[in-house]
Amino acid sequence: MEKVKAWDKESLITELTQGKEFVNQFDPLASPKECDLLLEKILSSLDKSLSILNCEVLNGTNDPFPLRDQGQNKKRKKMQQWSKQVKVYGTELESFNHDDGYSWRKYGQKNILGAINPRAYYRCTHRNTKGCFATKQVQKSKEDPLVFEVTYKGMHSCKTSQSSIFLSYENQKPNQCQIKKQRVEKLNTIKEENVPFTPPKCESQNAQFFANSIEPFTSESMYLSLLPNQEEEFEMDKIFQSSESDRIVFSSTPTSIIESPFCRDWDSSVDDQLDVHDPNLMIDISEYFN
DNA sequence: GCTATTTGACCGTC
DNA sequence: GACGGTCAAATAGC
């Protein structure tokens, strides 16, 4: 956080304060239209805040590949990166292609010291055509062969992303909050060291937000996590403060996901496949607003 | 012939 | 020097 310029820090505080105000203004009994409007404002504030952080904290620049344009400084700077785990079941393992909506081209594979399985290296197909330098690494987990650890590096410049959090308003089924054991187990696969969120709770409220799983194909099990160097710079629980009554639920969305591959235009047709109103997808982060 | 994947070699960092 | 990441020639699939 020290690297954030003074004016950026000011802007960040302003945005977060504004976001907090919007959260405070939230009224569960208000009309869905009003709620949507307020949500848009909240998301906008969060997006702006994250943009500031992404630009100034991670690299000190927008460029995910500072070396390529600055031949003088040969020291490789840390690139913006985040990881997720993807769990696959049954026959999915063979056909699993790590499809996250972007087209990737494999450019290498390497046996990693201490790892049983090799690590595969992918780069965006549009590297040459659109100058998109996003890359990802995929490695099968040592502990669980059904789990793939995917690490993304760099931002996609081949597609524009929108809001990182997709929320829908739900106030008609206040007592439907029954978390299935299976989903809880999946959510508990979240690495504690990387995700600043607590496991989901289940409480009835007059109004709740239900998170859509952002990435269509991995609704089964996925998590995103900030790498330690990013996490230490920005912790959600130190930033958000709000009243006790506020209860907002969204998927495990780390701070840098604003530009992540998962934050694409949301296709409402996916809702049916995902059962996006499934209360089991909830993660209660109310304590971060307290 | 074009595109994607494989794989050994090379390079930069620690 | 070891290791991880990338390059690029060879190969495969369509």
Side-chain angles (χ1 to χ4, degrees):
Chain A
M1 195 67 84
E2 296 163 2
K3 294 176 185 173
V4 180
K5 294 173 190 170
W7 64 271
D8 280 323
K9 195 173 181 178
E10 228 170 86
S11 308
L12 182 63
I13 291 171
T14 303
E15 286 300 334
L16 289 171
T17 306
Q18 202 169 31
K20 179 188 165 184
E21 284 300 315
F22 291 142
V23 171
N24 282 329
Q25 286 171 25
F26 177 73
D27 178 7
L29 300 177
S31 69
K33 196 175 179 180
E34 287 173 324
C35 287
D36 284 345
L37 196 67
L38 208 52
L39 270 176
E40 267 184 40
K41 291 177 179 177
I42 294 170
L43 290 174
S44 175
S45 288
L46 288 174
D47 280 353
K48 286 176 187 173
S49 304
L50 292 174
S51 296
I52 293 169
L53 283 166
N54 281 333
C55 292
E56 298 299 332
V57 174
L58 302 174
N59 292 327
T61 170
N62 260 335
D63 186 1
F65 291 85
L67 259 185
R68 297 179 189 279
D69 297 325
Q70 301 170 10
Q72 296 167 351
N73 184 5
K74 303 232 170 184
K75 194 131 188 172
R76 190 177 291 174
K77 290 185 182 176
K78 275 193 178 173
M79 185 187 307
Q80 199 164 341
Q81 63 178 40
W82 56 92
S83 65
K84 69 167 182 174
Q85 279 193 342
V86 179
K87 196 164 190 172
V88 295
Y89 296 93
T91 56
E92 286 182 80
L93 187 60
E94 286 72 30
S95 59
F96 185 60
N97 62 357
H98 315 287
D99 182 14
D100 48 26
Y102 287 86
S103 52
W104 299 96
R105 177 172 179 164
K106 190 175 183 179
Y107 67 88
Q109 183 166 306
K110 194 93 176 172
N111 288 319
I112 301 301
L113 194 72
I116 300 170
N117 304 300
R119 178 179 298 168
Y121 298 88
Y122 297 85
R123 68 163 68 106
C124 181
T125 306
H126 304 110
R127 185 187 182 91
N128 297 324
T129 56
K130 296 181 181 177
C132 180
F133 289 100
T135 63
K136 75 172 179 180
Q137 301 171 2
V138 179
Q139 188 169 14
K140 201 185 286 185
S141 172
K142 192 164 61 176
E143 290 81 16
D144 188 349
L146 293 178
V147 171
F148 287 86
E149 294 174 0
V150 185
T151 302
Y152 292 88
K153 294 184 179 181
M155 299 305 173
H156 279 276
S157 58
C158 56
K159 281 185 184 180
T160 56
S161 65
Q162 289 187 346
S163 173
S164 59
I165 305 169
F166 300 89
L167 301 170
S168 64
Y169 182 76
E170 171 66 81
N171 61 359
Q172 298 171 342
K173 305 170 186 174
N175 296 317
Q176 276 197 343
C177 182
Q178 297 176 352
I179 296 180
K180 296 171 190 171
K181 188 184 173 185
Q182 186 185 4
R183 286 292 177 91
V184 172
E185 284 173 354
K186 289 171 186 175
L187 287 167
N188 282 340
T189 62
I190 292 171
K191 283 182 181 173
E192 289 182 3
E193 67 267 26
N194 282 341
V195 178
F197 296 116
T198 55
K201 294 175 184 174
C202 178
E203 290 180 29
S204 293
Q205 293 287 326
N206 287 336
Q208 290 181 327
F209 296 102
F210 295 104
N212 298 336
S213 177
I214 293 173
E215 186 178 25
F217 86 103
T218 52
S219 61
E220 279 291 277
S221 169
M222 61 87 85
Y223 75 79
L224 303 165
S225 63
L226 279 176
L227 294 181
N229 63 313
Q230 293 170 306
E231 182 189 358
E232 65 189 13
E233 302 269 10
F234 180 63
E235 296 180 25
M236 295 284 281
D237 59 351
K238 289 179 182 172
I239 290 176
F240 292 110
Q241 293 181 347
S242 185
S243 66
E244 268 189 2
S245 61
D246 293 326
R247 186 169 300 280
I248 289 184
V249 182
F250 60 83
S251 61
S252 56
T253 307
T255 56
S256 66
I257 300 306
I258 189 71
E259 288 290 337
S260 86
F262 319 109
C263 306
R264 307 185 313 274
D265 298 350
W266 181 257
D267 183 353
S268 58
S269 65
V270 180
D271 290 4
D272 294 333
Q273 303 166 21
L274 282 182
D275 188 16
V276 295
H277 295 293
D278 183 350
N280 302 326
L281 285 172
M282 291 192 306
I283 296 176
D284 186 346
I285 60 161
S286 59
E287 61 193 80
Y288 298 100
F289 289 82
N290 289 336

